[in-house]
Amino acid sequence: MSAPQRAPQGAAPAQEQGGFMDNIRPAIHAILIFFAAQSIFKLFTGDSATNSGASPAAGSFEERYYRHDVDEYLYLPEKISPLWPEGTLMDMSIYLSEGVVLPPLSHPTIKENLVFSEKNIKLGDWDEKRSVAVDVPFSPRVQSNGTLFAHIFLAKHGAEMDPQVDGFDPANSFRTVKLLTRYYPKKKVVKTKKLIGGSEEETGKDEEIPATTPDGKPIITSYWHSNLTLNIVGDNGVLQYNTLTVPLQQHIALEPTGARDKSGRNGWYYPIVYPNEFWLLRDHMVEINSTVKSLPLYIDVTPTSFFKFQITSSMDFSFKQSAANPNTALGQSASTGAELEEFKRVLIETNVYLLGTTAIVSLLHTIFEMLAFKNDISHWRNKKDNVGVSVRTILANVFMQTVIFLYLLDNSDGTSWMILFGQGFGILLEAWKITRTVDVKILPTPDGSLLPFRIAFEDKHKLSQLEKETKAYDEEAFKYLYWVAVPLLLAYAVYSLLYDTHKSWYSFIITTLVGSVYAYGFLMMVPSLYINYKLKSVAHMPRKTMIYKLLNTFIDDLFAFTIKMPTLHRLATLRDDVIYFIALYQSWIYRVDKRRINEFGQGGEDGDAEKKEESGEEKKEEDVADVVAASGAEATKETGTKRR
């Protein structure tokens, strides 16, 4: 590997830190609470993991003993004390190597791979921050899934770092190793093309780069992240080593000679150098292959408290374990890792005040969403007529939500499963509404038809006058809607076909349909508003459901800027605001419904008209019966006269 090059002075290290605030959408809320509670529970049980002054220290390292000097010797110490006191001046050097074992630091190749060298770093000084930016070249071995390690040497100021040099004292220097290349399943890279009018390269046959082997196993490849954040942990004090959790123990370097205090139970440890990877996202990692010759590396050395080290390392360990081995009993799945990445991405990229507001309203969103579904289902279960109901709108909603669901699946790499779940449940709810409104029947088609069966919708009962009006207004509204929507759909399809790139014809159809739904989908909500306008009534609308959905719409507007989703889906959340504001305005101007009967059974213009119509029909039936009876009497009289 050739020598790393220093980046230009103007290149500042990338900032990956963000406010530690909880949480995002409701579906992942419970998972994150569990992880946080689990980590905090481990950290604070017994309050014996760290003690600054209550527990006796191992004493001075100068008064150390070894195994043959004590009667009772523990290979793993019970308690450990800091080997270097607070305020110690330290030197740090970082070398890059493709192997774990290093030759002497004076070797020419090792000298060339020195990427970080800082002097007089004060242990425990909270203002002590060092940074450097370098450009790291990759050898052919690293480009072919090889390893690249960072060897971090920390020594007291002026002490010898190289363990292969005479005079090296392990009490004054130590080394820790960090693997810089990370190995994950290969990302699925999809190629798009122009279906019509593109060049040969644009219309090539290869649509996507495979991410799995022919037998279906994932291809593991190496990735590079440009940030290396090293936290030097201060204010540690005496630690109860035998009670520390694995996430903490793996970052603590014990004194290597096995020295103990007089009791043989307690030992010493070096300053904790913690490679903080909690804020590293896979989206920010670059795949290393034969075309990648070099990549930048930003090294930040900063102090941190032992408390922050506990929280960060424990949660990072829990997140990685959950992503690698999801526990189905806890509601985790194969997508848990992606959801945890989304959680960290929101913390990093979102404004802290917006994130705090999102955290507060997330619980409200859960409550409103459940209440909206509950009241919507209750309203439709108890609904006895179809007054004010646009059956065509419900059918259109099923179609549109299905198209959106297929689009989200087609872009599943950029969509949270929470969005997919909500969309799928919405489809089932709209389909159930159809069965409550009309009878759905499958009937055979006439001979010569392309399909053997057809779906027919029949009214559940004889329609009242208001239901007949609703049906007529529904047909009228959709007639005007077709005049607007169909030309827009065709224009958008032609534009997308000629100027946009797509993965396939299926992707083009789904993308075009969903683009029309997102752009003009609010037109499908207009028929219901048109029916309200013609009937001069909103009595048929589920008011509680409308209120909950209105509140959730405003919350969705907030989530649209924090949750990862396709851009079109993000813009569509703002579409519903217009419809709900119009519905609210109609609720205000149509506060009184003169056709509705009050609690005493009085009023109702439409009811009076229907009663008059029914009484008129009954009177006609009575007149017909009288005529028939009179005709029968005359016929009987004539027959008797003839007999006489």
Side-chain angles (χ1 to χ4, degrees):
M1 187 181 73
S2 57
Q5 300 296 323
R6 288 295 179 109
Q9 293 297 326
Q15 298 296 325
E16 289 283 354
Q17 301 296 331
F20 191 81
M21 300 181 66
D22 210 359
N23 56 48
I24 54 175
R25 289 274 282 188
I28 197 175
H29 185 73
I31 299 176
L32 298 177
I33 286 181
F34 168 78
F35 288 142
Q38 184 187 47
S39 301
I40 294 174
F41 176 79
K42 290 180 181 179
L43 297 176
F44 296 103
T45 50
D47 195 28
S48 59
T50 173
N51 298 279
S52 299
S55 301
S60 172
F61 185 70
E62 301 298 330
E63 301 176 0
R64 59 188 180 275
Y65 298 85
Y66 294 95
R67 181 181 178 185
H68 59 275
D69 298 329
V70 296
D71 297 331
E72 186 179 358
Y73 181 86
L74 296 181
Y75 286 95
L76 289 179
E78 288 183 352
K79 297 178 181 179
I80 52 178
S81 300
L83 185 60
W84 301 350
E86 293 282 329
T88 300
L89 296 180
M90 305 177 298
D91 300 336
M92 177 181 284
S93 296
I94 300 177
Y95 297 86
L96 300 186
S97 174
E98 297 176 6
V100 179
V101 179
L102 284 182
L105 300 184
S106 58
H107 194 279
T109 58
I110 296 300
K111 285 186 175 181
E112 292 178 355
N113 293 329
L114 177 64
V115 295
F116 183 91
S117 181
E118 292 289 336
K119 307 292 184 180
N120 293 321
I121 301 175
K122 189 174 183 179
L123 179 62
D125 186 355
W126 300 106
D127 297 326
E128 190 71 74
K129 298 180 181 180
R130 308 292 176 93
S131 300
V132 70
V134 297
D135 190 65
V136 181
F138 299 133
S139 68
R141 289 187 297 272
V142 176
Q143 292 174 327
S144 303
N145 272 17
T147 57
L148 185 61
F149 295 90
H151 296 261
I152 306 165
F153 289 85
L154 192 65
K156 290 183 178 180
H157 179 59
E160 179 60 51
M161 291 185 179
D162 192 348
Q164 302 184 44
V165 174
D166 294 337
F168 173 77
D169 186 359
N172 296 329
S173 177
F174 75 100
R175 180 188 68 162
T176 182
V177 180
K178 177 70 182 74
L179 181 63
L180 296 181
T181 51
R182 298 162 175 86
Y183 298 88
Y184 297 104
K186 190 179 183 67
K187 294 180 180 179
K188 183 179 180 181
V189 180
V190 178
K191 288 187 175 181
T192 59
K193 60 185 179 181
K194 282 190 177 182
L195 301 177
I196 293 179
S199 62
E200 293 183 359
E201 296 181 356
E202 293 175 334
T203 58
K205 293 182 179 180
D206 296 334
E207 296 184 354
E208 61 183 47
I209 300 175
T212 58
T213 59
D215 56 354
K217 296 181 179 179
I219 298 175
I220 305 299
T221 186
S222 59
Y223 289 87
W224 180 265
H225 198 287
S226 60
N227 277 20
L228 175 60
T229 301
L230 301 176
N231 293 145
I232 300 179
V233 183
D235 65 15
N236 311 342
V238 178
L239 304 179
Q240 191 78 23
Y241 187 75
N242 57 359
T243 62
L244 291 176
T245 58
V246 174
L248 303 182
Q249 280 190 359
Q250 64 183 353
H251 297 294
I252 296 178
L254 299 178
E255 191 277 328
T257 63
R260 297 288 183 269
D261 65 351
K262 188 175 182 179
S263 67
R265 293 178 164 276
N266 306 319
W268 291 267
Y269 67 98
Y270 292 109
I272 301 174
V273 179
Y274 169 52
N276 191 346
E277 295 185 335
F278 183 76
W279 302 106
L280 305 187
L281 302 181
R282 284 197 60 187
D283 288 347
H284 298 163
M285 296 183 184
V286 180
E287 180 181 343
I288 302 175
N289 52 41
S290 58
T291 63
V292 180
K293 304 301 181 183
S294 65
L295 286 172
L297 178 64
Y298 303 104
I299 302 175
D300 289 324
V301 178
T302 59
T304 189
S305 66
F306 189 80
F307 175 75
K308 290 183 179 179
F309 162 64
Q310 284 180 301
I311 295 294
T312 307
S313 61
S314 297
M315 292 193 68
D316 185 48
F317 182 81
S318 297
F319 282 15
K320 290 179 178 178
Q321 288 292 102
S322 300
N325 303 295
N327 190 344
T328 55
L330 300 176
Q332 301 171 3
S333 64
S335 63
T336 299
E339 297 301 335
L340 297 176
E341 284 284 305
E342 172 68 11
F343 165 66
K344 292 195 291 185
R345 186 194 66 80
V346 169
L347 292 179
I348 293 173
E349 298 179 359
T350 306
N351 179 276
V352 62
Y353 299 106
L354 179 60
L355 184 62
T357 305
T358 304
I360 294 174
V361 302
S362 59
L363 180 60
L364 297 177
H365 187 280
T366 305
I367 297 174
F368 293 151
E369 192 170 25
M370 295 182 63
L371 290 175
F373 278 131
K374 170 186 173 296
N375 284 277
D376 200 18
I377 294 173
S378 176
H379 170 80
W380 281 90
R381 287 185 62 184
N382 299 325
K383 194 169 181 61
K384 304 300 182 183
D385 54 44
N386 296 337
V387 175
V389 177
S390 175
V391 180
R392 288 175 175 81
T393 298
I394 300 176
L395 292 172
N397 284 339
V398 173
F399 171 75
M400 291 191 302
Q401 293 196 31
T402 303
V403 169
I404 294 174
F405 185 76
L406 294 176
Y407 171 73
L408 294 177
L409 286 179
D410 195 43
N411 294 269
S412 57
D413 291 341
T415 305
S416 171
W417 69 268
M418 298 175 290
I419 304 295
L420 293 174
F421 174 79
Q423 195 68 32
F425 188 81
I427 295 173
L428 297 179
L429 182 59
E430 292 295 328
W432 174 75
K433 289 180 182 179
I434 296 176
T435 63
R436 298 294 302 175
T437 307
V438 293
D439 289 328
V440 181
K441 296 183 179 180
I442 299 178
L443 303 176
T445 57
D447 296 337
S449 301
L450 295 177
L451 300 177
F453 299 98
R454 65 182 180 88
I455 300 177
F457 301 99
E458 298 180 359
D459 296 325
K460 288 182 174 291
H461 56 270
K462 182 181 178 181
L463 300 181
S464 65
Q465 181 63 28
L466 275 179
E467 289 176 321
K468 291 178 181 178
E469 292 182 18
T470 298
K471 188 174 182 180
Y473 298 148
D474 191 18
E475 294 176 357
E476 184 179 354
F478 264 83
K479 179 182 68 174
Y480 299 139
L481 182 63
Y482 290 144
W483 293 354
V484 177
V486 173
L488 292 176
L489 173 61
L490 295 177
Y492 180 77
V494 173
Y495 175 85
S496 179
L497 185 61
L498 294 178
Y499 296 101
D500 294 338
T501 58
H502 305 277
K503 293 184 292 184
S504 61
W505 282 99
Y506 168 78
S507 179
F508 160 70
I509 294 173
I510 294 298
T511 304
T512 302
L513 289 176
V514 82
S516 301
V517 168
Y518 282 141
Y520 319 121
F522 71 95
L523 296 176
M524 291 299 176
M525 305 179 188
V526 173
S528 296
L529 302 179
Y530 182 76
I531 292 173
N532 296 344
Y533 166 71
K534 299 297 288 186
L535 295 179
K536 298 295 188 291
S537 172
V538 292
H540 49 272
M541 297 178 66
R543 291 180 179 270
K544 290 184 178 180
T545 303
M546 290 289 293
I547 293 174
Y548 294 137
K549 285 186 176 181
L550 177 64
L551 295 174
N552 263 354
T553 297
F554 295 142
I555 296 175
D556 286 338
D557 294 341
L558 182 63
F559 279 126
F561 298 98
T562 57
I563 298 297
K564 186 177 182 180
M565 64 183 70
T567 303
L568 288 176
H569 194 75
R570 178 176 286 112
L571 295 176
T573 59
L574 306 176
R575 171 196 74 191
D576 299 336
D577 298 343
V578 178
I579 298 299
Y580 283 118
F581 275 122
I582 296 177
L584 285 176
Y585 176 72
Q586 288 184 333
S587 299
W588 178 68
I589 61 175
Y590 302 142
R591 292 190 299 272
V592 179
D593 184 7
K594 298 181 179 180
R595 299 185 178 188
R596 185 166 49 184
I597 300 176
N598 61 18
E599 64 272 20
F600 303 107
Q602 299 173 347
E605 295 177 357
D606 186 66
D608 294 341
E610 291 183 6
K611 288 180 180 179
K612 291 179 181 179
E613 183 178 348
E614 291 176 0
S615 61
E617 291 179 356
E618 291 176 358
K619 186 175 181 181
K620 290 180 181 178
E621 292 177 358
E622 291 176 358
D623 294 341
V624 172
D626 292 340
V627 171
V628 172
S631 301
E634 292 178 358
T636 304
K637 184 176 180 181
E638 291 177 358
T639 303
T641 304
K642 290 179 181 179
R643 289 177 180 174
R644 288 195 296 270

